[in-house]
């Protein structure tokens, strides 16, 4: 550090001691401790609040699921009783012909047993209604229907129970759901079917008997989303239908129950729980306003939030007290460290206080002792980095940057000493063919071997062998004339050839060879005019390059001497 810089630094320290600026360590630690402890309290309280909220939410969903399952069980029971009544009657009919007065009595019996059916009829084996009884329309006003070629007939012919979608009754013009069971003879032959028209008003009547809270709704839908029964009659009469995507979502989940938040028919945000009745392909649904469903959860969250904030405040106060207690010895240590900074690193720090303060004092003392060693290590590391920046990573020779520096350095030395300076530019013959044939890894090994040979032959400490680029190398020979440079180049060529590094694709020989271009400059004598330009370092490189070009043109594996003077 320069004297001016050191004086500026000392002045800054002195000013800071006289007129300190910014927050004190005590304040910073107090704020930090209070903030961290408060944050911990807030985070942990927030997590606890969220967990409580989720727990209350799950409780609300389970409660709603129980009600939905109750609704589903009620509907399933009603449907099972109705179908059981129809099947019992079909067994009664199978002994006689499907027709006659006793059949009408049987249908009247079905209507009496199950009030949900508004019409009951018997089909013969051809699908034609042969007997029909209605709770609403007189016999003379009834319309007898042929069910052949209908989905109902296709199902009952297979011996299965049919449960259709919402349709309009031809007799009452009211929305109904058709239910049918097959009639079979003693030996199992198909003899016809019993068809009942289930009134949607009856489903409403069944659902309206459920004990529902204010704003709660229970209803049943088919797989198309059509509302079959609703706890509110007005919703049944409206003929409402669920959104297609919501319906698909409900019937895609066949688990015990599913819960979701959605918007109902009246654009209210509700918590909807559904249970699919697989045997009928219906779904029972119970919905409740979201605000009511999550009210216990919201209350729990508010209570938890209040407890959390109080805990955070108490934690902040404790943090401030702890921070003040910790900063007292730290402040003393800071003052002592400032005195050391004003004097020298050999000043002794106090070794009393808590174990942490004593450790910190020892660390300060060790820091001063290690500073000189660190500076020395940094200097050595810098020198090593500089050496590596001037070295070729593959061959270990000097790189192009080092060559440029050294050539300029030796050129100026030759000018001052009025001595010769020679340059050898060399190139491995047909190295691209070597790489293509043996591969780039083998090419790298070849470059390493050639580099080692060149370094061994050029033995003077003042000579520099460098990798010029790719398969080209260069050698700087200070205080060497043209003959000496040519001799060294020939020694290099001979050494590379003698190594007999295999090169099967070479057009020169069956081993690796090199071509050499030699140029010598004498930066002394007449330095005026063009002569001075010709003897510049770049001209020396150009002359060696021209000589190398001639060596390649004359068959390679040879030495050609050029002239830079």
């Amino acid at each position: 550090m320069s004297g001016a810089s050191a004086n500026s630094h000392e002045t800054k320290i002195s000013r800071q001691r006289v007129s300190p600026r910014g927050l004190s360590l005590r304040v910073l630690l107090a704020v930090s401790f209070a903030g961290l402890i408060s944050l911990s309290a807030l985070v942990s309280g927030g997590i606890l609040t969220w967990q409580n909220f989720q727990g209350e939410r799950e409780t609300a969903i389970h409660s709603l699921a129980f009600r939905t399952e109750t609704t589903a069980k009620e509907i399933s029971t009603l449907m099972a009783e109705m179908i059981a009544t129809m099947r019992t009657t079909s067994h009664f009919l199978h002994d006689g012909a499907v027709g006659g007065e006793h059949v009408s009595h049987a249908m009247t019996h079905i209507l009496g047993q199950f009030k949900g059916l508004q019409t009951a009829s018997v089909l013969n084996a051809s699908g034609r209604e042969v007997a029909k009884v209605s709770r609403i329309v007189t016999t003379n006003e009834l319309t007898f229907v042929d069910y052949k070629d209908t989905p109902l007939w296709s199902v009952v012919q297979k011996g299965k129970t049919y449960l259709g979608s919402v349709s309009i009754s031809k007799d009452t013009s009211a929305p109904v759901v058709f239910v049918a069971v097959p009639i079979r003879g003693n030996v199992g032959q198909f003899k016809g079917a019993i068809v009942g028209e289930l009134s949607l008003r009856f489903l409403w009547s069944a659902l309206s008997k459920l004990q529902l809270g204010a704003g709660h709704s229970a209803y049943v839908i088919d797989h198309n989303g059509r509302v079959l029964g609703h706890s509110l009659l007005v919703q049944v009469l409206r003929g409402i239908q669920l959104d297609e995507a919501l319906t698909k979502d409900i019937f895609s989940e066949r688990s015990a129950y599913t819960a979701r938040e959605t918007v109902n028919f009246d654009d209210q945000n509700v918590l909807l729980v559904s249970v699919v009745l697989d045997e009928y392909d219906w779904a029972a649904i119970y919905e409740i306003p979201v605000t009511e469903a999550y009210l216990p959860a919201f209350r729990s969250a508010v209570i938890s939030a209040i407890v959390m904030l109080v805990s955070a405040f108490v934690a902040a106060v404790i943090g401030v007290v702890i921070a003040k207690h910790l900063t007292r010895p730290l402040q003393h240590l800071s003052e002592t460290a400032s005195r050391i900074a004003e004097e020298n690193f050999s000043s002794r720090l106090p070794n009393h206080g808590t174990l942490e303060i004593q450790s910190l004092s020892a660390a300060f003392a060790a820091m001063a002792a290690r500073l000189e060693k660190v500076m020395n290590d940094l200097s050595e590391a810098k020198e090593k980095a500089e050496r590596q920046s001037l070295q070729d990573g593959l061959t270990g020779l000097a790189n192009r940057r080092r060559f440029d520096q050294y050539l300029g350095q030796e050129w100026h030395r030759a000018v001052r000493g009025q001595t010769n300076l020679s340059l050898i530019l060399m190139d491995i013959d047909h190295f691209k063919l070597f790489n293509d044939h043996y591969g780039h890894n083998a090419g790298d090994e070849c470059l390493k071997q050639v580099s080692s040979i060149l370094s061994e032959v050029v033995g003077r400490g003042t000579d520099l062998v460098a990798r010029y680029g790719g398969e080209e190398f260069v050698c700087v020979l200070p205080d060497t004339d043209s003959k000496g440079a040519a001799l060294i180049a020939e020694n290099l060529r001979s050494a590379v050839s003698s190594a007999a590094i295999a090169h099967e694709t070479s057009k020169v020989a069956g081993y690796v060879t090199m071509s050499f271009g030699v140029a010598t400059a004498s930066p002394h004598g007449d330095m005026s005019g063009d002569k001075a330009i010709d003897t510049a370092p770049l001209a020396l490189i150009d002359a060696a390059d021209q000589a190398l070009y001639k060596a390649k043109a004359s068959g390679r594996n040879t030495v050609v001497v050029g002239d830079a003077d």
Side-chain angles (χ1 to χ4, degrees), residues 184-258:
R184 293 191 177 277
N186 291 328
V187 293
Q189 73 275 23
F190 178 75
K191 298 186 65 176
I194 297 177
V195 179
E197 295 181 6
L198 178 64
S199 171
L200 297 188
R201 285 177 175 268
F202 178 77
L203 289 176
W204 158 75
S205 177
L207 292 172
S208 64
K209 294 177 182 178
L210 297 175
Q211 300 296 321
L212 304 180
H216 298 198
S217 297
Y219 52 96
V220 179
I221 63 171
D222 63 12
H223 64 279
N224 294 319
R226 172 65 186 265
V227 175
L228 305 177
H230 200 289
S231 55
L232 298 177
L233 179 60
V234 64
Q235 301 290 35
V236 179
L237 299 178
R238 284 170 59 187
I240 55 180
Q241 187 164 347
L242 258 65
D243 176 75
E244 181 180 353
L246 179 58
T247 302
K248 184 177 180 181
D249 186 30
I250 289 173
F251 282 94
S252 65
E253 298 290 340
R254 299 280 177 164
S255 57
Y257 69 87
T258 56

Side-chain angles (χ1 to χ4, degrees), residues 49-173:
T49 300
W50 175 251
Q51 290 176 341
N52 288 339
F53 176 82
Q54 291 297 320
E56 293 291 346
R57 180 179 180 274
E58 288 299 320
T59 300
I61 291 175
H62 286 311
S63 174
L64 197 55
F66 175 75
R67 300 180 189 179
T68 308
E69 290 170 347
T70 301
T71 302
K73 190 175 296 184
E74 180 74 17
I75 297 300
S76 295
T77 301
L78 290 173
M79 294 300 297
E81 290 176 354
M82 179 190 70
I83 293 174
T85 301
M86 294 176 67
R87 285 176 178 169
T88 301
T89 306
S90 72
H91 294 321
F92 168 74
L93 292 176
H94 83 276
D95 294 326
V98 180
E101 187 175 345
H102 72 285
V103 176
S104 297
H105 288 305
M107 296 303 98
T108 303
H109 173 73
I110 291 175
L111 296 183
Q113 288 291 319
F114 194 77
K115 296 181 180 180
L117 292 175
Q118 66 178 23
T119 302
S121 62
V122 175
L123 311 184
N124 61 18
S126 299
R128 180 71 181 177
E129 285 183 331
V130 295
K132 196 171 189 178
V133 177
S134 174
R135 192 187 302 276
I136 301 173
V137 182
T138 63
T139 304
N140 295 331
E141 296 175 332
L142 291 174
T143 303
F144 285 77
V145 181
D146 188 351
Y147 285 90
K148 188 177 181 181
D149 299 327
T150 64
L152 181 149
W153 189 246
S154 299
V155 172
V156 295
Q157 273 190 316
K158 297 176 183 178
K160 298 180 180 179
T161 300
Y162 173 79
L163 183 65
S165 300
V166 177
S167 303
I168 301 299
S169 172
K170 293 183 179 299
D171 297 313
T172 63
S173 299

